[in-house]
Amino acid sequence: MPTTDVFKKDLLIGKIAFVTGGGSGICKGMTEALLRHGAKAFIIGRSQDRLDKAAEELKTKTGGQIAGTAADVRDPEQVEKAVGKAIELFGKIDILVNGAAGNFLASFENLSYRAFRTVIEIDLLGTFNVTKACFPHLKKSRGCVINVSATHHYSDSISKPMLIFLLSFDQIRSRSLAVELGPLGIRVNVIAPGPIADTEGMHRLLPAADTERLIQGSPLQTLGKIQDIEYATVFLTSDAARNISGHILVVDGASWLRQPDLLPYPECVLEPKKFVGNKLNVKL
Ligand code: COA
């Protein structure tokens, strides 16, 4: 069911969205949802080719206006330039989605200095860089920010033995910003998707998970779909959420409350040698 069947399709008319990581996966879905409800979108990612393909696909599917440029969120100069292009094209930014992420599982033993730095640079500094560059425009538009997170780090019993480099830092990057920017009319929220079927995040962060077991163990007996995140995005960016800021919206059928029972002990800890290098050498 397209999201237009649930929300009014002119909900976001006149809004301009800037979406990092919008060329693929969950963030492409979020971009599609914004377009379907009348917003225009500017997407960034590392590969121009991927962005062009995504823009073409979403234009065809939604009839919306979308453009994108390659920029690495780790590089403030590239980010500033990309924001400049978005402003040149659309004149303003009302919605920022910080979706770009670089994540993988690694045991402490096999995690190199550079690997750790890489993830910090993408997930933490990248979010800062993009928010900072968009800030003057969000201030003008009294806009909103959505930071895309995850649920892995909500469970102590998992995150302790498993060195997960999903550095979402929900509270640091979102709640304090919500407090500081609230008086300027800027709302800052987090969407924390649980396992979402057929996504890079699922392959990367739950490589050994048994899908059936995930579903059976989920209180709502579901496995997430990208569409679930689309609905959350439309809601949080719309006026329906005008009084909602500093909130972490977990979209996972309440699975995170039961995670300790559900997930197998991670292979990156049991068999760290399989996780050396750039690829997860495991059967998915
Ligand atoms: N396990 C252990 N180390 C890893 C790794 C893995 N799975 N993947 C990358 N690294 C290490 C590399 O070995 C390298 O360190 P080294 O030089 O000491 O060997 C360092 O991380 C940087 O890797 P590199 O591939 O050069 O960086 P990059 O900037 O091109 O890649 C990543 C960025 C690392 C995030 C890459 O995994 C990526 O492109 N991911 C796609 C997007 C993504 O992760 N989405 C998240 C969905 S949840």
Side-chain angles (χ1 to χ4, degrees):
M1 188 200 300
T3 41
T4 40
D5 291 351
V6 172
F7 296 103
K8 280 168 69 184
K9 68 176 187 206
D10 60 353
L11 208 54
L12 302 174
I13 276 183
K15 303 284 186 201
I16 307 297
F18 189 92
V19 184
T20 75
S24 63
I26 292 177
C27 298
K28 189 167 97 179
M30 294 169 86
T31 307
E32 180 176 334
L34 295 168
L35 291 168
R36 277 193 196 284
H37 292 82
K40 296 173 186 167
F42 195 90
I43 54 178
I44 70 166
R46 281 178 298 170
S47 153
Q48 186 67 53
D49 189 45
R50 187 187 284 192
L51 293 168
D52 289 344
K53 280 189 189 132
E56 208 42 56
E57 181 195 325
L58 297 185
K59 220 180 278 176
T60 310
K61 268 173 121 170
T62 66
Q65 274 192 52
I66 171 169
T69 194
D72 191 325
V73 295
R74 290 172 279 195
D75 181 342
E77 225 172 276
Q78 289 185 32
V79 171
E80 290 271 357
K81 274 193 192 148
V83 170
K85 281 188 189 170
I87 293 298
E88 213 174 285
L89 191 65
F90 293 128
K92 61 172 186 155
I93 294 170
D94 303 283
I95 297 165
L96 164 61
V97 177
N98 278 309
N103 298 311
F104 49 79
L105 303 179
S107 65
F108 181 76
E109 190 181 354
N110 282 309
L111 186 71
S112 72
Y113 292 104
R114 186 159 167 261
F116 182 71
R117 199 172 58 238
T118 297
V119 177
I120 294 272
E121 281 177 349
I122 298 172
D123 292 8
L124 181 62
L125 300 186
T127 301
F128 175 83
N129 294 339
V130 179
T131 309
K132 182 90 178 153
C134 288
F135 172 67
H137 308 289
L138 293 168
K139 192 174 164 187
K140 271 191 210 154
S141 64
R142 297 173 72 82
C144 68
V145 180
I146 292 183
N147 291 325
V148 182
S149 179
T151 55
H152 277 66
H153 52 310
Y154 294 162
S155 164
D156 271 1
S157 56
I158 288 181
S159 54
K160 276 179 192 155
M162 183 177 191
L163 201 57
I164 290 175
F165 287 99
L166 184 97
L167 294 165
S168 312
F169 291 126
D170 297 338
Q171 302 203 0
I172 300 169
R173 75 183 195 181
S174 305
R175 287 189 165 156
S176 63
L177 215 53
V179 171
E180 191 176 333
L181 305 188
L184 301 174
I186 301 174
R187 296 184 298 111
V188 183
N189 288 296
V190 175
I191 294 178
I196 303 285
D198 302 323
T199 56
E200 172 111 21
M202 178 94 180
H203 293 316
R204 279 177 174 263
L205 300 177
L206 287 170
D210 174 338
T211 306
E212 268 316 304
R213 213 170 144 221
L214 282 180
I215 294 171
Q216 282 164 18
S218 137
L220 286 180
Q221 307 278 286
T222 54
L223 180 63
K225 298 182 193 167
I226 291 182
Q227 201 177 45
D228 301 330
I229 311 306
E230 297 184 13
Y231 290 129
T233 305
V234 175
F235 167 64
L236 279 180
T237 54
S238 76
D239 283 346
R242 60 167 284 278
N243 205 23
I244 298 177
S245 191
H247 189 72
I248 299 171
L249 183 52
V250 178
V251 185
D252 76 340
S255 293
W256 73 279
L257 297 168
R258 297 205 59 219
Q259 267 182 357
D261 304 333
L262 294 177
L263 297 180
Y265 206 84
E267 284 197 59
C268 73
V269 173
L270 293 177
E271 296 189 69
K273 286 193 172 64
K274 287 184 178 177
F275 282 76
V276 177
N278 285 334
K279 291 204 174 88
L280 300 176
N281 296 317
V282 291
K283 280 185 206 141
L284 295 176

